[in-house]
Each structure stands twice: as C-alpha cells, then as structure tokens.
Amino acid sequence: TLMNCQIILIKNNFKLLKPITWLSWIIRKVTKSNWNHCAILYKNKVADMSTSYKYRNYDIWLSENNDREFIISKEVDSIFFKSDLEKILENKDGDLEGYEYTKLLNHLTKIKLNKVYIKEIENRMVCSEFVEYIINGTLTNWETPQSLYEKYFR
C-alpha cells in the first residue's frame, strides 16, 4: 500500500545576528511566500533537506530551533510503498547529499530571465523538490514552499 506522510512548512524569522536567517528572508521575498523551508514528517520522524540531509525524531527536530514557525499538512499519500519510502528517508543508498544552494540562484535567473547560469550538482536538491519527490516520485525543478502550500494546504 502507499504510505502516508505529512508536509511541514517552515518560516525561520529574520534575526540580524543570525546570517542563516537572512537567506530565509530572501527565499520568502523571491518566492513571494510566508514559508522559506519545508520537510517531510513520517512516523514521528522528520526528513529534512538542509545543509546536509537529516532524518531524526520529531522531538529532536523541535528542540533544534525554537525560533521558527511551522504548519503541518494533513496526511498526504506518497507514491512510494512502505519499504521503498523508508529506504529513501533513511538514505540507505547515500543518494541524498544535501541542499543545492546553486538552485536558489538559478531560480532567480529562471524567474527573471528564463535562463539558468550555474551548473547544479547531481543528488542535491532544494527542500521543496525533495518534498515533491517523496510525494510524487518525480524531481520537479522550480518547486517552492509556496507552491507546496497551494497544492497541499488549501
């Protein structure tokens, strides 16, 4: 049977003395969204495509940052069967290497100029592409937290 998981949309609030939050702010402005990051919740564990791929208990994820806002979707069917989904989320093959920051720059040029300038690294993706992959089994370029909100939260 197909497995259910949930989507977490995250807003990291801007803090002048925390440079990583500057990127969060930029992502929200460029994508015209209240959300700058997203993750998958599956069986009380969070799969998160950040600097490096992380898969940990929900309570640990919660304790890592008490300065963010987030919402969690209702259950969504993943296209993957249980054993396949768990293999992907546990990263048993090591295919999930981490966040692809060049996609952020390419996203800007794609929106403004309809052109991609920077070569992207294979096996890396942005968080919203990862979430869409877990749900639909396809890598969709230019997915954003806002587009996930529109598809799964409305």
Side-chain angles (χ1 to χ4, degrees), residues 76-87:
V76 178
D77 283 338
S78 169
I79 198 163
F80 295 104
F81 293 102
K82 180 180 179 179
S83 61
D84 294 331
L85 179 60
E86 289 176 353
K87 182 178 176 183

Side-chain angles (χ1 to χ4, degrees), residues 2-3 7 11 17 28 51 55 58 61 63-64 78-79 84 87 91 96 101 104 116 127 129 139 141 154:
L2 297 178
M3 295 310 299
I7 301 167
K11 177 184 179 185
L17 300 178
R28 287 195 308 275
T51 305
Y55 187 52
Y58 179 73
W61 179 81
S63 70
E64 291 173 346
S78 169
I79 198 163
D84 294 331
K87 182 178 176 183
N91 201 19
L96 303 173
Y101 289 97
L104 296 176
V116 172
C127 57
E129 289 175 315
L139 282 174
N141 274 329
R154 288 189 170 187

Side-chain angles (χ1 to χ4, degrees), residues 48 54 56 59-68:
D48 188 14
K54 297 177 186 173
R56 64 243 187 251
D59 292 339
I60 292 170
W61 179 81
L62 272 180
S63 70
E64 291 173 346
N65 181 350
N66 61 0
D67 197 32
R68 64 182 162 206

Side-chain angles (χ1 to χ4, degrees), residues 1-135:
T1 62
L2 297 178
M3 295 310 299
N4 289 327
C5 53
Q6 293 171 282
I7 301 167
I8 305 172
L9 292 181
I10 303 153
K11 177 184 179 185
N12 292 302
N13 294 306
F14 180 83
K15 299 282 184 205
L16 187 60
L17 300 178
K18 282 181 86 175
I20 192 68
T21 66
W22 303 354
L23 180 59
S24 302
W25 182 82
I26 291 168
I27 291 169
R28 287 195 308 275
K29 294 303 170 198
V30 168
T31 62
K32 297 177 177 82
S33 179
N34 191 44
W35 311 104
N36 60 273
H37 193 60
C38 53
I40 289 285
L41 179 62
Y42 175 72
K43 290 189 174 181
N44 206 37
K45 285 189 164 185
V46 176
D48 188 14
M49 185 62 71
S50 53
T51 305
S52 61
Y53 176 74
K54 297 177 186 173
Y55 187 52
R56 64 243 187 251
N57 286 331
Y58 179 73
D59 292 339
I60 292 170
W61 179 81
L62 272 180
S63 70
E64 291 173 346
N65 181 350
N66 61 0
D67 197 32
R68 64 182 162 206
E69 300 171 33
F70 63 92
I71 56 174
I72 300 175
S73 74
K74 64 184 188 302
E75 288 191 342
V76 178
D77 283 338
S78 169
I79 198 163
F80 295 104
F81 293 102
K82 180 180 179 179
S83 61
D84 294 331
L85 179 60
E86 289 176 353
K87 182 178 176 183
I88 293 167
L89 294 177
E90 291 168 6
N91 201 19
K92 293 201 179 200
D93 294 334
D95 290 338
L96 303 173
E97 295 181 1
Y99 201 88
E100 174 57 293
Y101 289 97
T102 57
K103 280 191 183 276
L104 296 176
L105 297 171
N106 283 341
H107 191 80
L108 285 171
T109 61
K110 176 76 174 167
I111 290 171
K112 300 292 183 194
L113 306 171
N114 201 27
K115 193 166 185 155
V116 172
Y117 288 99
I118 302 170
K119 184 176 182 339
E120 296 169 2
I121 301 168
E122 286 187 45
N123 294 338
R124 288 185 171 260
M125 58 188 87
V126 296
C127 57
S128 46
E129 289 175 315
F130 169 70
V131 167
E132 191 66 31
Y133 175 71
I134 294 301
I135 305 289

